[in-house]
């Protein structure tokens, strides 16, 4: 049986989309749109697993849609919608809560990181967040999921849940086992201040990340201030192993310039990191500021963005309802 390929991915509307989201996910979303049917979801129900100011949340949902469009997603090709408008996500999440195992969730490193030392005070939603993520994907029977490396473990859990459902309800191949599509060269963009931590929206210092809406001046300043290394640029990547910040800057340069890391090192070895930083800032300004400008422009017409969501929701709901009908039947729900 040849299975139809279907791409699904989600981004949380928690503000400040950054270079990590862009290189780890959004750019991939856009290239996949050319070859497969794609569904891209603004996952507001995931966002509220940690408290969100309601006014900010509403704005951030629209800004995430604006970021999708500004990076090149086409709403007449891909389905773009927000999670809470399609109630099938929560219904399937409940069913999958009953398939997924506590032992599996206990292994999730993102929960441990996000809940921190006071785990008892984390929301129950944060704990079962990966089950909702599995529901997002399986509700559409998606086969491919473009994400950054930080989501790999959640994807593996989604596969385990799909497999257990297929076994429990004796319906081999009912849910496809979704495959992660993780960028090969730069699957994890690191913080500009600490190369051992990923670039993240929630990191306190704005100097740790390049936001898609940053101005040319901000990008220049942030790259200039980014941690690097006091040695000169080496001629091979083995010497970068103990130098996470230098390695991160070189990887970003290689990814955005589309020049292999090997070639970059060949060309730049022996030079100070300030040389790389000047080139990198120029490159990022060219790549990122047009996206930021477009996001701001799109945010001036909120009703246009709402219209995109409305149309996307209608399309998503049709697929979701059809699949849910079969899922309910498999489980024995009337
Ligand atoms: P989030 O903002 O957490 O919803 O993430 C949206 C997408 O961006 C997911 O596919 C993440 O894996 C990806 N992502 C987030 N941060 C990074 C990063 N620092 N490097 C690479 N990918 C990232
Ligand atoms: N958990 C993902 C993140 O934080 C977002 C997400 C929610 C997602 N549902 C998804 C990603 C389904 C891929 C598929 O980045």
């Amino acid at each position: 049986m040849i299975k139809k390929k279907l791409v699904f991915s989600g981004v949380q509307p928690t503000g400040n989309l950054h270079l990590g989201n862009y290189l780890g996910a959004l750019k991939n979303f856009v290239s996949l749109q050319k070859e497969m049917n794609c569904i891209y979801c603004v996952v507001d129900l995931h966002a509220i697993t940690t408290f969100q100011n309601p006014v900010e949340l509403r704005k951030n949902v629209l800004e995430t849609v604006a970021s999708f469009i500004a990076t090149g997603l086409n709403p007449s090709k891909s389905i773009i919608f927000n999670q809470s408008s399609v109630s099938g996500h929560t219904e399937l999440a409940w069913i999958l809560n009953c398939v997924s195992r506590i032992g599996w969730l206990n292994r999730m490193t993102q929960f441990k990181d996000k809940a921190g030392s006071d785990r008892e005070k984390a929301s129950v939603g944060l704990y079962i967040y990966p089950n909702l993520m599995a529901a997002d994907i399986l509700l559409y029977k998606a086969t491919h999921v473009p994400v950054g490396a930080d989501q790999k473990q959640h994807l593996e859990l989604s596969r385990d849940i799909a497999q257990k459902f297929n076994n429990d309800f004796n319906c081999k191949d009912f849910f496809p086992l979704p495959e992660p599509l993780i960028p090969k060269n730069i699957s994890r963009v690191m913080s500009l201040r600490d190369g051992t931590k990923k670039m993240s929206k929630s990191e306190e210092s704005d100097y740790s990340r390049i936001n898609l809406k940053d101005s040319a001046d901000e990008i220049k300043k942030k790259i200039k201030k980014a941690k690097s290394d006091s040695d000169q640029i080496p001629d091979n990547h083995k010497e970068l192993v103990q130098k996470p910040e230098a390695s991160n800057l070189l990887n970003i340069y290689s990814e955005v310039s589309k020049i292999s890391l090997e070639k970059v090192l060949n060309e730049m070895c022996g030079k100070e990191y300030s040389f790389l930083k000047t080139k990198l800032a120029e490159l990022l300004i060219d790549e990122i500021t047009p996206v930021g400008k477009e996001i701001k422009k799109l945010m001036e017409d909120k009703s246009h963005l709402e219209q995109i969501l409305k149309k996307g929701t209608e399309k998503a709901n049709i697929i979701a309802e059809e699949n849910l009908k079969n899922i309910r039947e498999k489980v024995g729900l009337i």
Side-chain angles (χ1 to χ4, degrees):
M1 183 172 68
I2 299 170
K3 279 209 208 84
K4 217 171 159 230
K5 290 181 181 171
L6 179 65
V7 170
F8 183 97
S9 195
V11 175
Q12 298 189 63
T14 37
N16 275 341
L17 282 188
H18 51 69
L19 188 65
N21 299 121
Y22 181 73
L23 296 178
L26 296 176
K27 273 192 104 170
N28 229 356
F29 291 4
V30 176
S31 56
L32 286 164
Q33 173 183 254
K34 294 187 196 114
E35 37 186 286
M36 293 191 214
N37 291 327
C38 299
I39 305 178
Y40 296 119
C41 182
V42 182
V43 289
D44 47 3
L45 297 172
H46 277 97
I48 61 167
T49 56
T50 55
F51 183 78
Q52 303 294 319
N53 173 313
V55 176
E56 287 285 304
L57 179 63
R58 233 168 266 137
K59 183 191 128 242
N60 285 336
V61 168
L62 295 184
E63 196 168 294
T64 308
V65 179
S67 307
F68 283 176
I69 309 295
T71 42
L73 287 185
N74 176 350
S76 46
K77 262 193 183 162
S78 300
I79 299 179
I80 295 173
F81 74 107
N82 68 315
Q83 191 181 28
S84 62
S85 315
V86 176
S87 59
H89 289 255
T90 42
E91 184 175 343
L92 181 56
W94 182 259
I95 294 172
L96 299 185
N97 281 341
C98 303
V99 175
S100 182
R101 304 288 93 182
I102 290 174
W104 297 353
L105 288 180
N106 284 344
R107 286 197 283 274
M108 295 296 117
T109 55
Q110 184 170 300
F111 174 74
K112 292 178 193 163
D113 290 346
K114 283 202 175 176
S117 53
D118 204 352
R119 219 178 278 181
E120 301 262 314
K121 288 220 173 110
S123 75
V124 176
L126 188 67
Y127 181 64
I128 57 172
Y129 170 121
N131 293 345
L132 177 60
M133 180 163 160
D136 297 340
I137 299 165
L138 300 180
L139 184 58
Y140 301 93
K141 298 193 172 187
T143 55
H144 292 80
V145 183
V147 280
D150 61 325
Q151 295 303 312
K152 187 164 179 265
Q153 194 184 33
H154 289 162
L155 246 296
E156 279 158 9
L157 181 87
S158 299
R159 291 169 65 92
D160 288 345
I161 292 175
Q163 188 136 43
K164 185 165 187 327
F165 185 101
N166 292 349
N167 285 340
D168 287 356
F169 298 104
N170 209 5
C171 48
K172 193 168 174 281
D173 296 333
F174 179 74
F175 283 131
L177 306 188
E179 273 182 43
L181 298 175
I182 298 175
K184 279 202 184 68
N185 299 325
I186 191 154
S187 57
R188 201 185 288 268
V189 177
M190 308 311 276
S191 154
L192 300 178
R193 310 297 292 160
D194 176 352
T196 62
K197 280 196 201 154
K198 69 168 184 175
M199 186 176 283
S200 127
K201 298 168 183 167
S202 54
E203 175 72 40
E204 217 175 298
S205 167
D206 202 46
Y207 276 94
S208 67
R209 61 182 162 259
I210 303 288
N211 301 309
L212 296 186
K213 286 193 307 177
D214 279 347
S215 66
D217 263 3
E218 281 166 321
I219 294 177
K220 222 185 267 171
K221 246 190 256 164
K222 287 178 178 181
I223 295 296
K224 197 168 175 199
K225 281 202 163 215
K227 271 200 181 165
S228 56
D229 195 57
S230 50
D231 288 342
Q232 291 160 343
I233 300 176
D235 60 4
N236 68 80
H237 68 271
K238 282 194 195 110
E239 284 187 46
L240 290 169
V241 174
Q242 302 296 337
K243 302 177 183 223
E245 287 87 13
S247 172
N248 188 39
L249 292 179
L250 283 158
N251 275 325
I252 296 172
Y253 183 81
S254 156
E255 182 66 19
V256 180
S257 66
K258 299 190 180 78
I259 304 173
S260 72
L261 183 60
E262 204 184 15
K263 208 162 167 211
V264 172
L265 291 176
N266 255 334
E267 283 170 11
M268 294 197 184
C269 65
K271 295 205 160 64
E272 304 293 330
Y273 278 91
S274 55
F275 177 82
L276 166 70
K277 284 183 172 183
T278 309
K279 291 207 153 235
L280 179 58
E282 280 167 14
L283 204 60
L284 287 176
I285 289 169
D286 280 355
E287 177 98 10
I288 298 295
T289 54
V291 175
K293 279 188 195 138
E294 189 60 22
I295 295 174
K296 287 177 198 160
K297 195 169 128 208
L298 287 161
M299 283 301 278
E300 282 166 17
D301 187 357
K302 300 223 167 47
S303 66
H304 172 61
L305 298 170
E306 282 159 0
Q307 204 52 33
I308 290 174
L309 284 178
K310 188 164 171 271
K311 284 198 186 134
T313 298
E314 281 163 13
K315 291 186 210 158
N317 234 327
I318 292 172
I319 310 173
E321 279 307 314
E322 178 66 31
N323 285 338
L324 259 183
K325 209 166 62 191
N326 294 328
I327 294 165
R328 288 188 198 112
E329 194 189 301
K330 295 279 176 232
V331 178
L333 304 173
I334 292 174

